[in-house]
Amino acid sequence: MQIQTIQTNAFDDQKPGTSGLRKKVKVFQQPHYLENFVQSIFDTLLENGEVPAGATLTLGGDGRYYNRHAIQTIIQMAAANGFARVMVGQAGILSTPAVSHLIRKYQTFGGMILSASHNQGGVHGDFGIKYNISNGGPAPEKITDTIFAKSKVITQYKIANLPAVDIDHLGETDFGGMNGTGKFTVQVINAVQDYADLMQTLFDFSAIKQLLASGFKMKFDAMHAVTGPYAREIFINRLGAPTASLMNCEPSEDFGGGHPDPNLTYAEDLVRIMFAGDSAPDFGAASDGDGDRNMILGKNFFVTPSDSLAVLAANATLVPAYAGGIAGVARSMPTSAAVDRVAAQLNIPCFETPTGWKFFGNLMDAGKVTLCGEESFGTSSSHVREKDGLWAVLFWLNILAQKNKTNSTPISVAQILKSHWLAYGRNVYSRHDYEAIPTDAANGVIQHIKAQFDRLPNQTFASHTDKSYMVKTCDDFSYHDSVDGSVSHNQGIRILFDDGSRIVFRLSGTGTEGATLRIYLEAFEPDSTKHDVDAQIALAEMIQIALQISQLKERTRRTEPTVIT
Ligand code: G1P
Ligand code: ZN
């Protein structure tokens, strides 16, 4: 194996966002673009010395277009940069939580996940790379900032002249080490097995199996993305569900032309099935491109991700892995405070972090939290260091199995939510996204709100009813990591009202076209006679106040959000 050093020119736009670097496929296809970024990652890792002897890199992606090309390039570059082994999922497939698990289980040095998550795929879609560190979690800001700095000054990268590696057949191949010395092996592993085994250790598979055999109907939509093979192994092979329980389980390079984002807008086929009245299945779920997101539905019922986190926390002891209780919970700042109420009742700590899974890693490593979640359809626990779509689905099934075991009348998803709200009150919640707006207009909206920071407190906004809303405080959220002492600024604008309602404005860090402005709306409703009110109606006044404060319509000329969740 010979190592080549290739001269290159730096790009100035390789800044990792909320979750890795995401760009249009066309951008990644520019000569040296992929290589520059990968070398910048390696240079960052090597800053404190060489790659340790025998180090393994875990590698896989969500099967989107350009995955296969990138895998070959990264294998060649890992070889040239001193890795002894690359562990790659068969056909280049590995879900994000599976990579996290493999890094932890086999104690690999780190991992690369090739995915732009829920963004569209295909030649005209997006591609992305995320780097995960040895705890299995996304690289923290300190590392991603260094990667960006290095990408701006890079002048060369190293690549080995390996033949194309057959990633479709299981097994390990030795290509010989650098310049003929040592070993460099590529191990192609079963992408599903280790992950499915892990799930089986966490959940009561026999109880879930019994539930699924009792006439309880489920539908899981893999959205033509990475969880298809995982779902087949877990739900069909191990839990005995009929094959009709699954849809869109064949991964495709462009996700069947769809948007692999499990929400009410983009998972419309599943939503139609789950809202088909009496004939609808009892339970529905979907997962995103790389398998870390989840959407949970009941018969004619949508569970908001914030509520889902709260329900999982409140019912955790029904699941074998959490039977002894949970240490604490964490949620991203824009996620509703529903889980805070559960934590208070359980007398466990609840942490509020910035958006993005990377902020949960330290808390989990320190044993301070067991469950974490984001309003953006992300939920998980310390079994890995990523959010985990199928884990959340199995958690719900385990809860349903237990609740239905001890009750003669079936308990539905909707009933679980309603009794949860009865016990804790309801944090009514919605997020409005305005996608692909001109960057200047989006920045203008944020500046306009910030310019009002001095005057907003104590200002009262009238409503159509007799109610009025007074602003208590507003700020741009900063996070102080209690484990490593780091501080992250500018994490989203919060406007808090005296009745506990809240509006949050944030610019997305994952989009690839213009800017995406997210408005997160929340109000607390203790009165159970009002728990059935549709969130858009219950939050109508908050929505008007958000538009008034932001001048969003005037500044962006948008009249409607692109996506409402
Ligand atoms: C979005 C979500 C965030 C999530 C991230 C990766 O980031 O809001 O919660 O962690 O995707 O899945 P954003 O586009 O808002 O920066
Ligand atoms: Zn994802």
Side-chain angles (χ1 to χ4, degrees):
M1 183 172 86
Q2 297 303 320
I3 313 299
Q4 283 177 287
T5 301
I6 310 284
Q7 301 305 314
T8 185
N9 293 315
F11 294 89
D12 61 3
D13 65 345
Q14 299 194 321
K15 184 175 169 52
T18 313
S19 178
L21 180 70
R22 293 185 197 179
K23 298 282 171 195
K24 293 275 165 225
V25 166
K26 293 264 178 286
V27 174
F28 264 103
Q29 282 174 327
Q30 297 171 83
H32 309 312
Y33 194 89
L34 170 72
E35 291 84 348
N36 276 17
F37 188 66
V38 171
Q39 187 65 52
S40 302
I41 294 175
F42 288 145
D43 287 347
T44 302
L45 304 178
L46 299 183
E47 208 170 25
N48 304 320
E50 301 270 301
V51 173
T56 298
L57 180 74
T58 306
L59 179 62
D62 62 9
R64 69 178 59 225
Y65 181 77
Y66 215 51
N67 251 27
R68 282 178 173 270
H69 173 90
I71 281 178
Q72 296 295 341
T73 303
I74 294 168
I75 289 174
Q76 291 165 355
M77 292 186 65
N81 281 278
F83 280 86
R85 189 164 68 135
V86 174
M87 180 188 274
V88 54
Q90 190 174 18
I93 294 280
L94 283 177
S95 74
T96 289
V99 169
S100 185
H101 175 52
L102 290 169
I103 294 173
R104 296 166 66 76
K105 180 169 179 181
Y106 297 107
Q107 297 179 357
T108 72
F109 185 74
M112 277 189 207
I113 305 167
L114 309 178
S115 172
S117 186
H118 51 287
N119 295 15
Q120 269 184 303
V123 188
H124 303 293
D126 292 351
F127 187 73
I129 302 187
K130 308 190 264 187
Y131 184 74
N132 282 32
I133 58 174
S134 60
N135 75 349
E141 263 187 348
K142 197 169 59 166
I143 294 184
T144 52
D145 286 349
T146 310
I147 295 171
F148 181 43
K150 293 203 178 287
S151 75
K152 287 190 286 191
V153 296
I154 189 170
T155 56
Q156 56 183 44
Y157 62 84
K158 287 195 277 183
I159 190 157
N161 63 337
L162 292 180
V165 178
D166 172 7
I167 55 170
D168 292 299
H169 296 95
L170 300 180
E172 189 157 4
T173 313
D174 186 357
F175 292 92
M178 277 193 268
N179 302 320
T181 58
K183 263 172 91 128
F184 174 72
T185 63
V186 177
Q187 186 189 9
V188 180
I189 59 159
N190 179 309
V192 170
Q193 179 98 28
D194 290 293
Y195 177 82
D197 290 350
L198 172 65
M199 293 300 116
Q200 203 154 351
T201 66
L202 303 175
F203 299 106
D204 187 343
F205 268 37
S206 67
I208 300 174
K209 206 170 178 173
Q210 234 173 306
L211 174 76
L212 295 175
S214 71
F216 178 97
K217 287 205 183 64
M218 71 169 278
K219 195 86 172 172
F220 175 77
D221 186 352
M223 304 193 81
H224 304 279
V226 78
T227 50
Y230 294 84
R232 217 174 281 127
E233 171 64 16
I234 292 170
F235 297 120
I236 310 295
N237 299 349
R238 301 199 187 193
L239 291 168
T243 45
S245 311
L246 305 185
M247 57 195 276
N248 302 324
C249 278
E250 212 52 67
S252 99
E253 287 200 329
D254 68 347
F255 309 113
H259 217 123
D261 198 358
N263 60 39
L264 294 174
T265 304
Y266 294 127
E268 55 177 348
D269 293 344
L270 176 71
V271 170
R272 207 174 302 122
I273 293 168
M274 293 306 301
F275 284 84
D278 284 348
S279 67
D282 302 291
F283 179 78
S287 185
D288 74 328
D290 60 329
D292 56 0
R293 293 187 174 199
N294 72 90
M295 174 169 68
I296 302 295
L297 301 167
K299 197 191 263 291
N300 307 302
F301 193 87
F302 166 63
V303 184
T304 70
S306 295
D307 277 344
S308 178
L309 175 64
V311 168
L312 300 192
N315 293 282
T317 52
L318 295 178
V319 171
Y322 315 102
I326 51 177
V329 292
R331 63 163 173 87
S332 66
M333 180 274 280
T335 303
S336 96
V339 74
D340 302 34
R341 296 174 190 280
V342 177
Q345 186 129 331
L346 294 175
N347 200 20
I348 54 171
C350 175
F351 295 85
E352 186 177 33
T353 59
T355 295
W357 207 263
K358 59 188 167 209
F359 295 100
F360 294 135
N362 279 344
L363 295 170
M364 287 194 271
D365 285 350
K368 294 186 174 206
V369 303
T370 309
L371 300 187
C372 303
E374 295 193 90
E375 52 61 46
S376 54
F377 298 84
T379 346
S380 192
S381 83
S382 48
H383 66 290
V384 287
R385 291 292 180 277
E386 281 281 4
K387 53 190 182 231
D388 190 344
L390 284 169
W391 169 90
V393 176
L394 288 164
F395 204 132
W396 266 96
L397 286 172
N398 200 148
I399 291 174
L400 284 158
Q402 290 304 336
K403 291 207 184 266
N404 281 298
K405 215 186 229 176
T406 47
N407 276 281
S408 44
T409 39
I411 298 205
S412 68
V413 171
Q415 281 164 325
I416 290 178
L417 258 297
K418 283 175 188 167
S419 40
H420 185 92
W421 293 336
L422 200 58
Y424 296 94
R426 179 179 175 196
N427 286 71
V428 187
Y429 189 84
S430 184
R431 183 177 108 183
H432 288 203
D433 291 338
Y434 291 80
E435 294 180 353
I437 52 182
T439 309
D440 287 350
N443 290 335
V445 170
I446 297 293
Q447 287 318 320
H448 177 67
I449 306 167
K450 281 190 174 180
Q452 300 169 68
F453 271 8
D454 285 348
R455 325 181 234 123
L456 278 174
N458 300 322
Q459 200 170 316
T460 300
F461 292 84
S463 79
H464 315 301
T465 58
D466 50 2
K467 208 171 163 201
S468 65
Y469 297 85
M470 192 172 83
V471 176
K472 202 166 86 183
T473 55
C474 53
D475 65 3
D476 197 342
F477 181 61
S478 289
Y479 176 61
H480 299 249
D481 186 313
S482 58
V483 180
D484 69 10
S486 62
V487 182
S488 303
H489 295 292
N490 305 320
Q491 297 295 327
I493 292 176
R494 304 190 290 185
I495 300 180
L496 310 176
F497 294 84
D498 62 350
D499 70 341
S501 321
R502 182 176 81 142
I503 303 173
V504 173
F505 296 91
R506 221 189 119 251
L507 289 177
S508 156
T510 59
T512 57
E513 243 181 274
T516 292
L517 183 71
R518 307 197 194 284
I519 306 180
Y520 310 80
L521 306 135
E522 179 177 355
F524 182 62
E525 183 51 84
D527 179 354
S528 64
T529 63
K530 296 183 184 157
H531 284 169
D532 282 335
V533 179
D534 180 84
Q536 302 311 314
I537 295 170
L539 292 168
E541 290 172 341
M542 280 286 111
I543 294 168
Q544 284 317 313
I545 295 171
L547 293 175
Q548 190 183 330
I549 292 177
S550 65
Q551 283 188 352
L552 184 133
K553 285 187 175 177
E554 297 81 348
R555 289 171 177 270
T556 66
R557 306 208 175 278
R558 291 290 180 88
T559 50
E560 295 287 328
T562 323
V563 177
I564 294 180
T565 48

